[in-house]
Amino acid sequence: TEKARLVDAIASSIEQLQKIQNQSQIEGTEHNAILDAHILMLKDETLLADACQLIQDEHLNAEWAVNKVMGKLRSFLDVSNDEYMKERRNDIDFVGERIVKNLVGKGCDGSELQTLQTGTIVIAHDLSPADTAVIATQKVTGFATQVGSKTSHTSIIARSLDVPAVVACSGLFNDAGHGDTVIIDGLKGRVILRPSSDQLKKARKRAEAFENLSQEF
């Protein structure tokens, strides 16, 4: 029964990511490459085989088997001194989390993120590539996350789509509130919550100057 649950959860995970790819319709961008990589990880026969072996030998449920397999994969990257390789631990976490969510009936295909208003700034602890793919198609004004680096998916995708983004903002998620006015300065790496009218005026001038320069280039 647990093996069958796992097979179904992996199949659902692949189907959801493919649906997100089709909805985002951003061919040839970082989105597709990253989501393709996650789909390939889900299709990897070793992942299923190792988890099924744990279910059989240790009598684990499917959720715990997936966590153990992903933990082993993550440990290989933990010893790397390369920042890019360390950041790829997040890929393992995102894939494992999606499988587990489908196992417990909480899988999502991004439809719950398609009701954002124009001009929204998204603040999160972290954003998965799938979340970012859905959000980016709605012309979100900017991103800010508590974790991440210049090689994180949020940074890579934001650069490819020319969306202002700031990552590694410790404590931001607790300080920001729904409906807050926020300035995202992707050039200086700054996030200003609930700015004054003077700060807003200066930020709008800088944004306008940057846009004009971009158009000129």
Side-chain angles (χ1 to χ4, degrees), residues 6 9-14 16-17 33-44 46-48 62-63 65-67 69-71 73-74 87-103 107-108 126-131 153:
L6 179 56
I10 291 176
S12 295
S13 298
I14 294 170
Q16 288 158 4
L17 290 182
I34 293 168
L35 293 179
D36 276 339
H38 285 199
I39 291 170
L40 285 172
M41 289 172 68
L42 287 163
K43 289 181 176 180
D44 185 359
T46 306
L47 167 62
L48 178 60
E63 291 90 337
V66 169
N67 280 330
V69 170
M70 292 304 188
L73 292 173
R74 199 183 303 111
E87 193 66 48
R88 301 289 71 79
R89 289 177 301 187
N90 289 342
D91 290 300
I92 293 169
D93 291 336
F94 289 136
V95 169
E97 183 179 301
R98 181 166 290 276
I99 297 173
V100 171
K101 280 185 176 180
N102 277 300
L103 283 166
C108 56
D126 197 8
L127 288 170
S128 75
D131 291 340
H153 289 317

Side-chain angles (χ1 to χ4, degrees), residues 6 12 20 38 43 52 54 59 62-63 68 91 94-95 97 105 116 130-131 137 152 177 180 197 203-204 207 209:
L6 179 56
S12 295
I20 290 170
H38 285 199
K43 289 181 176 180
C52 284
L54 286 171
H59 300 165
E63 291 90 337
K68 286 195 75 170
D91 290 300
F94 289 136
V95 169
E97 183 179 301
L116 299 177
D131 291 340
T137 61
S152 66
D180 279 351
S197 57
R204 288 193 174 112

Side-chain angles (χ1 to χ4, degrees), residues 3 6 35 40 48 74 96 100 115-116 121 123 140 145 167 192:
K3 289 179 181 179
L6 179 56
L35 293 179
L40 285 172
L48 178 60
R74 199 183 303 111
V100 171
T115 56
L116 299 177
I121 287 175
I123 291 177
V140 166
T145 60
V167 299
I192 302 175

Side-chain angles (χ1 to χ4, degrees), residues 136-155:
T137 61
Q138 301 179 64
K139 301 187 184 302
V140 166
T141 299
F143 302 100
T145 60
Q146 287 201 137
V147 299
S149 70
K150 64 183 180 182
T151 58
S152 66
H153 289 317
T154 306
S155 300

Side-chain angles (χ1 to χ4, degrees), residues 77-96:
L77 296 178
D78 284 337
V79 298
S80 174
N81 294 321
D82 184 89
E83 183 182 352
Y84 181 83
M85 290 304 295
K86 282 188 174 181
E87 193 66 48
R88 301 289 71 79
R89 289 177 301 187
N90 289 342
D91 290 300
I92 293 169
D93 291 336
F94 289 136
V95 169

